[in-house]
Amino acid sequence: MYKKYAIISCNKETGDINFRNPFIRFFPKKMVRNYIIKKLPLNITEIDYLGNLGLDIKLPITEEELIEEEYTKAIIDEFNRRHLIYNINTLVISKELKDYRDYFESIVGNEKAVQFLYIDKVIKKIINLSNKELKDMNFVIIDGDNSKTRFIIDNIYQGINSLTIVTSKPEIFEERVDEIYDETGLAVGITNYNVNQEISSDIVINCNGDKNKIFYSFDEGSYIIDFVSDDDKVKDILIKRNDINVITGVDIYVDDHLMSKELLHGILLNQNRLLRSMFLYGYKTNMFERLDKIKSKYHVRIGNIYQRGEELQS
């Protein structure tokens, strides 16, 4: 049987819960909750996005009840025990359940991960905004997750003339840097987190969610693509460097329709074992060509780009 993705949400009101016995709702609250945890009466409907069948599943809990952490976790635990019954491969968690996403035991679609997946298109969007050409752009990658850094390198090294990697572990990238030089003649620079240096930069891709001060080294007007840092870190960067741009999110369109990023990622993960492997265990260079084919299945374009929720203009 074909495995499905599932959108997980909750009910607006208790009356919307799919009680098999209509009289249950009139029982005392404790009895109702015991029944819900034991029977887990889900509301399930079939859905179709991008030609892919999935399920819309509403957990038997209301938005108001989500503040009751122990009760909510009990329902999620019961769902985790049963989800294989519904042949679910990946989940897309609704916004109201975002604080509980780590309690679901399936693979969960991730907004930041899908933005990284289409980093090549994000970069093209920024180049259009900057009014520069690709060959004139200075690229910088801030390492922190070696897997993400390798993925970014493989996506951008062809056709560019300047690339610097900021890392505390230069030995990890030496072999790949030599391969790129032999293939293209591009001499990739590798440096550390010393804030006293000046690093030529137009587009910086951050793969390090930890706080550091390397942003002091970048050129005025630089664009930092940052899909990993929390809002406090980004806010701190912009306070200290109000002459640079930090891109924290983008709109993604599929066939000219604005798409939920979590849903797109959930669908892609459901379809492709290779993407699931990358998401769970990290990227390897031998995945690149196959990933490129997977990404080309849908006509994806990047719409607006955002800095802490505010649209960035050219």
Side-chain angles (χ1 to χ4, degrees):
M1 184 182 293
Y2 180 72
K3 286 188 175 291
K4 299 180 175 69
Y5 61 93
I7 299 174
I8 308 298
S9 59
C10 53
N11 289 281
K12 296 289 185 184
E13 300 176 357
T14 304
D16 297 326
I17 295 175
N18 184 29
F19 291 109
R20 295 177 188 131
N21 183 339
F23 298 105
I24 289 292
R25 69 184 73 248
F26 301 111
F27 287 6
K29 182 178 180 178
K30 185 176 181 179
M31 291 182 65
V32 172
R33 289 193 166 185
N34 287 338
Y35 170 88
I36 285 173
I37 293 171
K38 184 177 180 180
K39 298 295 185 181
L40 199 70
L42 303 171
N43 293 50
I44 303 177
T45 54
E46 196 167 76
I47 53 177
D48 185 333
Y49 286 97
L50 305 177
N52 298 276
L53 291 179
L55 299 174
D56 185 296
I57 298 178
K58 286 184 169 51
L59 299 179
I61 189 170
T62 66
E63 292 183 25
E64 288 185 356
E65 292 173 317
L66 292 178
I67 60 172
E68 300 180 54
E69 187 173 325
E70 186 176 340
Y71 179 54
T72 303
K73 287 180 181 178
I75 289 175
I76 294 173
D77 286 344
E78 188 60 32
F79 175 79
N80 287 334
R81 282 191 282 271
R82 299 182 182 214
H83 81 276
L84 291 176
I85 298 172
Y86 305 103
N87 218 32
I88 296 168
N89 217 3
T90 57
L91 302 179
V92 179
I93 306 300
S94 63
K95 289 182 179 179
E96 62 266 22
L97 283 165
K98 66 179 181 179
D99 291 339
Y100 293 97
R101 61 179 294 126
D102 291 340
Y103 294 100
F104 290 91
E105 294 177 358
S106 299
I107 301 173
V108 177
N110 184 286
E111 174 182 0
K112 294 181 177 181
V114 80
Q115 291 178 138
F116 259 115
L117 186 64
Y118 289 100
I119 194 71
D120 54 331
K121 293 182 180 292
V122 175
I123 289 170
K124 287 178 182 178
K125 180 74 175 184
I126 296 170
I127 292 172
N128 290 337
L129 288 176
S130 70
N131 296 315
K132 289 187 177 182
E133 295 185 21
L134 176 64
K135 63 182 179 64
D136 299 322
M137 305 291 280
N138 297 299
F139 286 86
V140 180
I141 303 173
I142 306 173
D143 178 42
D145 180 326
N146 304 143
S147 171
K148 283 188 176 71
T149 302
R150 290 191 186 96
F151 178 71
I152 302 301
I153 291 171
D154 288 351
N155 268 273
I156 70 174
Y157 77 90
Q158 294 192 13
I160 67 175
N161 292 320
S162 174
L163 174 60
T164 302
I165 301 172
V166 179
T167 181
S168 58
K169 299 178 180 178
E171 67 279 1
I172 292 176
F173 301 102
E174 287 174 354
E175 182 178 352
R176 185 67 180 125
V177 165
D178 289 342
E179 290 173 350
I180 290 172
Y181 181 77
D182 291 340
E183 180 185 345
T184 67
L186 174 65
V188 178
I190 299 180
T191 189
N192 56 29
Y193 284 89
N194 179 8
V195 297
N196 294 319
Q197 63 185 316
E198 294 182 2
I199 303 175
S200 296
S201 60
D202 292 292
I203 295 179
V204 180
I205 303 101
N206 182 35
C207 302
N208 191 341
D210 296 333
K211 286 190 175 183
N212 57 71
K213 297 182 179 180
I214 195 63
F215 56 83
Y216 283 117
S217 301
F218 301 140
D219 291 335
E220 178 182 344
S222 295
Y223 288 88
I224 301 179
I225 302 172
D226 194 340
F227 299 145
V228 297
S229 298
D230 60 32
D231 188 60
D232 287 340
K233 178 183 172 182
V234 174
K235 185 178 179 180
D236 183 60
I237 292 172
L238 291 170
I239 289 172
K240 294 170 180 173
R241 286 295 307 270
N242 61 7
D243 58 344
I244 61 177
N245 307 287
V246 183
I247 297 167
T248 54
V250 301
D251 285 336
I252 294 181
Y253 287 79
V254 180
D255 296 328
D256 290 325
H257 297 288
L258 183 62
M259 188 80 182
S260 158
K261 291 183 281 289
E262 293 91 342
L263 177 55
L264 176 59
H265 194 224
I267 290 171
L268 290 169
L269 288 172
N270 182 61
Q271 291 176 335
N272 299 280
R273 183 180 297 174
L274 181 69
L275 268 182
R276 292 197 296 275
S277 176
M278 174 183 168
F279 184 59
L280 292 172
Y281 309 114
Y283 169 80
K284 296 178 181 178
T285 294
N286 62 10
M287 296 178 173
F288 183 76
E289 290 186 2
R290 287 176 292 166
L291 286 171
D292 217 32
K293 289 180 181 178
I294 292 168
K295 288 162 58 180
S296 66
K297 178 175 181 179
Y298 300 113
H299 177 62
V300 171
R301 70 174 177 86
I302 303 300
N304 295 331
I305 60 177
Y306 298 93
Q307 177 173 279
R308 298 187 68 232
E310 296 292 329
E311 181 184 348
L312 275 176
Q313 305 285 349
S314 58

